[in-house]
Amino acid sequence: MLDAFFSGFLQVFTFSTFSLLLVGTLIGFAVGILPGIGGLATLALMLPFVFDMKAQDAFAFLLSMLAVTSTTGDITSILFGVPGESISAALILDGHPMTKQGEAGRALGAALMSSLVGAVIGAFVLAASIPVVAPLVLTFKSPEFFALALLGITFVASLSGGSKLKGMVAAGVGLVLAMVGLDPQSGMPRYTLGLTKLWDGVGLVPVTVGLFAIPEIVDLWVQGTSIAAQRVGRLGGVWQGVKDTFIHWGITVRCSMIGTFIGIIPGLGAGVSQWVAYAHAVQSVSDKSRFGAGDVRGVLGPGAANNSGLGGSLVPTIAFGVPGNAVMALLLGAFLIKGLVPGPAMLTKHLDLVFAFVWFIVISNIITVGLCFLFLEQLARITHVRGSLLVPGILLLVFLGAYAESNTVFDMGVALIFGFIGLIMVYTDWPRPPLILGLVLGALIERNFFISYEIHRLSFLFRPLILAILVVGLGVFFLPKIQKVLARLFGIQEDIVVSEED
Amino acid sequence: MSPKKIELAFSVAIVLFLTWSLWEARGWPLHSKLFPWSLGFSVLALALIQVAVALSGARTESKPRVEGKKGGSGANASAPGERNRIKAQMEIERADLADLGASPSDGPGLTPEAIRRRVVAICGWVLIFFLGIWLLGFKVGSFFLTFAFLKFTAKEKWRVSVAIAVGTYLFFLIVFDVALKVPLGNGFIADHFDLDSLDSYLIIRPILGFFAA
C-alpha cells in the first residue's frame, strides 16, 4: 500500500501528466471565477478531450480542474457577493462583509488557506478511508439519508440568529420550491403553472445568484462608495487570513472533516456541507455576535468544507461505482472511457492510480493557492474601485450566471424574481441560507421519504439510527435554550456553559 | 412602509403561497401529494405562527414611540405630539434604511428620501438590464446597458463610460465566442428578425464608420 502511495506521487510529475494538471488547474481557475459556468458544465465540455489521453493524464486534467473551481469560486463570493459556484454561496455571509470593512485581503487569505487545508484533508481521508468505508456507506439506507438531510436543514435553520422560526419557514419554502417540476415517482408536473420550462424544476444557480447577489448590488449602489467602505492600508491582511486558518485550526479541521464525510454520502455534497460547516462554526463559539457581519471564522468553515468534499465524494465513486452527485456521475463516464471499472478492481489492480488521484487534488490546490496569492493584491484592489463602475459588471455576471445553467432567458427571470425576494428578506431580517438548503435537499428528502414509506410505512421513523439523528437535530435546534436552563438550574454563568472553541 | 409592515406582508405572502401549494396538490395521486402535504401542513402551521408574531410586531410599532402633550384640544395642542411622532417615524426609517447598508451620513446630504430614490433607481436598472439582455443578447446588451448606466445614472465621463462598455463587449466576445465557443444567444430582436447577430449592425459598422470618417 505504501508502494502504491509513493508510486502515485511520482506519477504526478511525469511531463505529460504534470502539463495536463497545469492546464486543468488554469481552466478550473477561470471557470471558478465566472459565476454560473460551473465545474459540472466544464467537466462535460472537457470530457471529449480525454479520449486520446492515458488514464493518469486524463484524471490529472479532470480532477485538477474540479479541485480548483471551488477555491476560485470563493473569490467572487468574498469580493462581490456573487457566488462563483453555488457551493461558494456560504462565504458571502461573512466574507463579503469583511470586504466591505476593508478586510478583503484577510478574507481571501483565510478562504484560500482553509480551502487548501480542506483539500489536503479531504484527499488524505480519501486515501485512508477507502478500505474502511464500505460498511459505513452500506449501513446508510433511505431512512437514514432522509434523517440526515433533515438534520442538515435543522443545522442551518438554527443559525438563523434570533429567529429560528423564520429559518424553519424559509427552509420549508425552499423544500416546496424543490418540488416544482415533474414528480420523480409518477412523472406528473407539479407546481409548474403550465410552463414546460418548469418541468426541470427551479434552477439552483439562478435562485442563488438572485437571492444573494442582487441585494448586494442594491446595497453597493445605495452606499455610493466602493465595495470596501474603509481602507485598511496595504494588503497586509492576507497573511493575517492565512494565520487565522491556523489560529482557529479546530474549526478548519472539523469543517474539513464535515465536508469530507458529507461528500462521502451519496446525494449530499458541497452544496450542503458548506452550510452545515457554517452552522457548526457559528455554534462552536461563545461569541456569535460578529457572525454575518464579518467574522473570519464564518469564512474558514465553509472555505474548508466546500473544498474537502471532492475527496469525500470520490470515495463511493471509486469504491462502489456509485456517483454521489452529478459531477461524480460525469467523472464515472471518464472512468468508462478509459476502461477503468470502479469497485474492488480499483483498490487492487489500480491502487497506485487511486493514490495518484489524491496527489492530483493536493498539488493542483497548492498551485492554485500559490497563483491566487500572486494576484491577491490586484484582486483586492477591485474592492476600492468606485461602486458605480462595478455595478454594471456585477449585474452582467449575475445574469450570465443565471443564464449559463441551461441557456435560457427564463432562468434570468428566475434570478430577477428571487433577487427582489432576497431584497425583501434582507430588509425584513429573514435568513436566506435555509431557503437555499431546502431547495438543494428537497429532492433527496422526498425521494428517501417516499422509499422509506413504501417499504416501512411510518415505522421507519422509529429505527434506532433515525431516532438518534432526530434527537441530535432537536438538540442542535434547542441547544441555546437547554444551555440557558442548565445555567439557571446550576446557577452558573452562561458563557461557561456554552462550549468554547478550540 | 416600515420594515415591520413589510415583514407582515411578506409573512402573509408566504402563508398564501403555502396555502396555494396545498390546494394545488389536492387532486394529485397519493404518491405525488404525500410529501407536499406532509411537509406543507407543518410549514403552514409555522408560517401562521410567524404571521402572528409579525402582526404583534407591526401593532407595537404603530403605537407612537414619543407621546405628544396630553390634554387640550384642537390642532395646536396636538401639533407638538404630531411633530414628535413624525420625527420619531423619520428616525425609525433612517435606522431601517441603514439595514440596507445605507447611512444618511454616507455621501454628502443623503436623506432617507434620497436613499429611497437610489433603491428604486437601482431596482429599475436591474429590470432594465434583464430586458436589455433579453432583447439584445449579452454582447450587444452589455455594451449599451453598461454605457447607459455609467453615462446617465452614474454620471461618469464619456471616456470612462465608452472604455468600460467596450471592455465588457470584448470580454463576452473573446471569452465566450472565441475561447470557450459557448453560445450566449443573440437576443430576441436578432432571433425575431432572423439576423445572425446584432453586433455588426449596432457596434462594428458604426465603429468602422467612425474611424473611416
Side-chain angles (χ1 to χ4, degrees):
Chain A
M1 183 124 143
L2 216 52
D3 288 342
F5 187 74
F6 288 112
S7 167
F9 178 72
L10 291 172
Q11 282 185 31
V12 179
F13 295 101
T14 56
F15 179 75
S16 59
T17 306
F18 193 71
S19 311
L20 285 164
L21 184 141
L22 281 179
V23 171
T25 301
L26 290 172
I27 293 175
F29 190 104
V31 160
I33 283 189
L34 289 173
I37 313 292
L40 181 63
T42 315
L43 185 60
L45 287 171
M46 297 296 134
L47 211 50
F49 293 103
V50 308
F51 274 93
D52 292 332
M53 296 180 192
K54 288 187 301 190
Q56 73 186 48
D57 293 349
F59 285 101
F61 176 61
L62 296 175
L63 284 175
S64 59
M65 190 179 61
L66 284 175
V68 159
T69 50
S70 55
T71 303
T72 51
D74 298 347
I75 293 174
T76 53
S77 293
I78 289 170
L79 291 183
F80 307 120
V82 179
E85 297 282 317
S86 59
I87 57 175
S88 303
L91 272 104
I92 295 175
L93 298 180
D94 277 282
H96 195 55
M98 286 181 74
T99 298
K100 290 182 189 176
Q101 291 155 26
E103 289 190 299
R106 186 180 178 191
L108 288 171
L112 290 173
M113 187 48 67
S114 63
S115 289
L116 177 59
V117 170
V120 170
I121 288 178
F124 284 111
V125 166
L126 164 67
S129 65
I130 282 183
V132 302
V133 79
L136 179 70
V137 174
L138 294 174
T139 301
F140 280 77
K141 298 190 173 46
S142 298
E144 285 76 24
F145 288 133
F146 166 74
L148 275 174
L150 271 187
L151 180 67
I153 293 216
T154 311
F155 256 65
V156 175
S158 70
L159 66 74
S160 308
S163 181
K164 291 185 174 50
L165 178 61
K166 285 181 184 173
M168 291 304 289
V169 173
V173 170
L175 287 170
V176 172
L177 288 172
M179 287 184 270
V180 174
L182 296 182
D183 175 20
Q185 272 70 250
S186 64
M188 68 163 279
R190 295 187 302 184
Y191 305 128
T192 56
L193 306 173
L195 301 169
T196 52
K197 285 185 169 56
L198 282 176
W199 281 19
D200 265 342
V202 178
L204 175 62
V205 171
V207 171
T208 307
V209 293
L211 212 57
F212 285 99
I214 289 181
E216 293 300 325
I217 292 169
V218 170
D219 179 46
L220 180 62
W221 175 247
V222 167
Q223 277 190 30
T225 59
S226 55
I227 294 176
Q230 306 165 23
R231 280 190 178 268
V232 188
R234 281 178 57 83
L235 208 57
V238 171
W239 298 111
Q240 180 58 46
V242 172
K243 279 193 268 180
D244 284 327
T245 306
F246 299 103
I247 292 170
H248 303 290
W249 63 270
I251 284 182
T252 308
V253 170
R254 287 196 302 271
C255 291
S256 301
M257 302 302 285
I258 286 172
T260 306
F261 286 111
I262 288 182
I264 288 176
I265 299 168
L268 304 179
V272 172
S273 62
Q274 56 171 331
W275 299 110
V276 175
Y278 184 82
H280 170 71
V282 171
Q283 293 208 308
S284 65
V285 302
S286 51
D287 178 19
K288 306 180 203 313
S289 58
R290 285 197 46 79
F291 277 96
D295 194 316
V296 73
R297 293 168 294 194
V299 172
L300 294 173
N306 68 15
N307 227 25
S308 60
L310 177 61
S313 59
L314 276 170
V315 171
T317 307
I318 292 173
F320 311 114
V322 174
N325 50 49
V327 168
M328 287 298 123
L330 276 184
L331 204 64
L332 205 55
F335 276 91
L336 299 176
I337 289 171
K338 301 324 296 175
L340 297 169
V341 180
M346 288 297 296
L347 305 177
T348 50
K349 286 195 297 185
H350 302 289
L351 192 59
D352 56 340
L353 186 61
V354 172
F355 282 119
F357 293 171
V358 172
W359 291 112
F360 294 153
I361 295 171
V362 170
I363 290 169
S364 58
N365 269 280
I366 292 173
I367 294 172
T368 301
V369 169
L371 275 177
C372 286
F373 278 126
L374 284 177
F375 294 112
L376 265 184
E377 178 119 19
Q378 285 72 23
L379 286 171
R381 276 207 187 118
I382 296 174
T383 64
H384 295 297
V385 172
R386 277 199 303 287
S388 57
L389 296 179
L390 294 177
V391 162
I394 298 175
L395 258 182
L396 288 167
L397 281 179
V398 167
F399 285 121
L400 173 66
Y403 178 86
E405 194 182 64
S406 48
N407 277 17
T408 60
V409 174
F410 184 81
D411 282 338
M412 281 172 38
V414 170
L416 181 72
I417 291 169
F418 277 91
F420 290 126
I421 291 174
L423 201 56
I424 296 172
M425 290 177 85
V426 168
Y427 194 54
T428 55
D429 206 27
W430 275 74
R432 292 166 288 171
L435 191 151
I436 294 292
L437 195 60
L439 185 59
V440 169
L441 286 176
L444 178 81
I445 291 177
E446 182 180 13
R447 183 171 62 248
N448 287 295
F449 176 80
F450 179 78
I451 294 171
S452 305
Y453 181 81
E454 284 293 290
I455 297 172
H456 305 285
R457 290 292 182 251
L458 287 176
S459 64
F460 78 89
L461 291 169
F462 302 104
R463 287 157 69 98
L465 203 46
I466 305 297
L467 287 173
I469 293 171
L470 290 176
V471 164
V472 169
L474 287 171
V476 160
F477 196 76
F478 292 109
L479 188 62
K481 288 202 170 19
I482 295 171
Q483 286 167 338
K484 279 184 189 160
V485 166
L486 283 175
R488 255 185 252 132
L489 271 177
F490 293 104
I492 50 180
Q493 287 178 340
E494 283 181 33
D495 57 0
I496 297 174
V497 174
V498 169
S499 61
E500 292 288 341
E501 171 221 0
D502 297 337
Chain B
M1 211 177 179
S2 69
K4 292 291 182 193
K5 291 199 173 95
I6 295 177
E7 182 179 338
L8 176 61
F10 187 64
S11 303
V12 169
I14 288 179
V15 166
L16 291 174
F17 169 71
L18 291 168
T19 307
W20 167 80
S21 72
L22 290 168
W23 180 256
E24 184 77 5
R26 71 193 188 288
W28 296 347
L30 175 66
H31 287 166
S32 296
K33 73 181 174 192
L34 177 65
F35 189 67
W37 269 18
S38 309
L39 171 78
F41 281 111
S42 322
V43 180
L44 180 62
L46 292 176
L48 286 168
I49 297 172
Q50 169 55 32
V51 167
V53 169
L55 194 59
S56 73
R59 280 191 181 146
T60 309
E61 186 189 58
S62 65
K63 290 180 191 163
R65 289 188 183 183
V66 178
E67 296 293 328
K69 280 187 186 170
K70 289 189 180 166
S73 60
N76 288 339
S78 64
E82 184 68 22
R83 277 201 297 276
N84 283 337
R85 194 159 50 238
I86 291 168
K87 192 175 164 187
Q89 184 62 28
M90 279 183 68
E91 285 300 322
I92 292 166
E93 290 191 16
R94 208 181 292 262
D96 294 338
L97 285 163
D99 287 346
L100 267 177
S103 163
S105 60
D106 287 344
L110 269 185
T111 61
E113 183 53 38
I115 293 168
R116 197 177 287 116
R117 270 202 307 270
R118 288 179 81 103
V119 171
V120 170
I122 191 61
C123 289
W125 270 107
V126 171
L127 195 55
I128 290 170
F129 265 69
F130 166 73
L131 291 170
I133 293 170
W134 171 53
L135 288 170
L136 302 172
F138 273 94
K139 275 187 300 182
V140 174
S142 68
F143 178 82
F144 288 106
L145 292 166
T146 302
F147 175 78
F149 179 86
L150 289 173
K151 187 69 200 120
F152 302 117
T153 298
K155 311 281 188 219
E156 296 289 340
K157 293 181 184 148
W158 274 98
R159 276 178 303 182
V160 171
S161 305
V162 170
I164 294 177
V166 169
T168 55
Y169 172 77
L170 290 175
F171 168 78
F172 283 102
L173 180 71
I174 293 169
V175 173
F176 291 95
D177 278 8
V178 176
L180 294 176
K181 293 193 176 21
V182 172
L184 288 181
N186 293 319
F188 176 78
I189 292 177
D191 291 342
H192 184 72
F193 291 105
D194 212 17
L195 303 170
D196 281 340
S197 72
L198 287 175
D199 306 36
S200 56
Y201 296 96
L202 296 179
I203 297 178
I204 296 173
R205 284 184 199 178
I207 290 175
L208 289 176
F210 175 78
F211 283 111

